[in-house]
Amino acid sequence: NNYALYGQVDYLLHPKLNVIGGLQVNKVEDVPGSTVPRAGLVWRPTPRLSVKALYGQAFRSPSINELTLDHPLLKGNPDLKAEEVGTFDVSISYQGERTQASVSYFLSDQSQIIYQNQTQALPFYDNLGEARFQGFELEAKSYVGKQMYLTGSVSYQTSEDAAGVEDIT
């Protein structure tokens, strides 16, 4: 009773520009079906440099524990809705003979977040409002010589919920 279907088209609009479009359809038993889009552009201004902009949506169905758990300290909730997220990201990448590096920025809006509601004597799983996450990542890889390979990355993220509370994660 569960299924997923994904289709994507990658079209070379110009020798240096690809357009990407796609749809994903998901249906999980006892949860309404969901159709989410994917779209993007990849531009290669030079053979070693590329710029990528992508947008996509996704969802996470509640787990069996979140739906049906019956424990003295935590209760499942059969009325939970799936978490939903939409993300836009843009990155610039360099591909050299021995070095690869990129910098990326992302912005994600998440809704119907599943959490443990502890406002009652018996905590239970519930859907919460919305949150926004944004940040960046730098990463690089380099072959220094035949015997040495270096790789590293740095990430930074901020978050804010619908009530304006910052750094929720």
Side-chain angles (χ1 to χ4, degrees):
N1 295 325
N2 304 316
Y3 68 86
L5 175 68
Y6 179 72
Q8 179 172 307
V9 174
D10 190 336
Y11 182 72
L12 187 61
L13 189 64
H14 179 274
K16 294 183 178 187
L17 183 65
N18 283 59
V19 177
I20 302 164
L23 286 175
Q24 182 175 356
V25 179
N26 298 285
K27 175 66 179 103
V28 178
E29 189 174 357
D30 299 329
V31 176
S34 175
T35 301
V36 293
R38 302 276 192 329
L41 293 171
V42 180
W43 176 48
R44 291 175 201 81
T46 71
R48 295 196 181 277
L49 191 65
S50 65
V51 179
K52 179 172 54 172
L54 300 171
Y55 176 77
Q57 292 180 349
F59 82 103
R60 181 184 78 83
S61 291
S63 71
I64 192 166
N65 278 351
E66 292 165 337
L67 292 169
T68 63
L69 186 68
D70 188 12
H71 188 274
L73 299 177
L74 183 61
K75 188 92 170 141
N77 179 353
D79 297 324
L80 283 176
K81 297 179 179 113
E83 292 181 335
E84 297 176 350
V85 64
T87 299
F88 170 76
D89 66 87
V90 62
S91 65
I92 300 170
S93 299
Y94 170 80
Q95 177 70 49
E97 297 272 333
R98 301 168 66 137
T99 301
Q100 177 185 352
S102 68
V103 59
S104 302
Y105 167 80
F106 67 89
L107 175 66
S108 293
D109 288 315
Q110 192 172 359
S111 62
Q112 302 181 151
I113 300 165
I114 298 171
Y115 78 112
Q116 292 180 16
N117 186 333
Q118 300 189 10
T119 60
Q120 297 181 10
L122 177 59
F124 63 100
Y125 286 103
D126 200 2
N127 289 106
L128 188 59
E130 302 175 355
R132 172 168 277 188
F133 303 86
Q134 65 179 329
F136 69 88
E137 180 174 85
L138 301 168
E139 60 181 333
K141 304 172 188 175
S142 183
Y143 286 94
V144 178
K146 289 183 179 183
Q147 302 295 322
M148 186 178 292
Y149 171 71
L150 299 175
T151 184
S153 66
V154 175
S155 298
Y156 175 78
Q157 172 182 295
T158 63
S159 57
E160 183 176 347
D161 69 12
V165 178
E166 295 181 347
D167 298 325
I168 56 174
T169 63

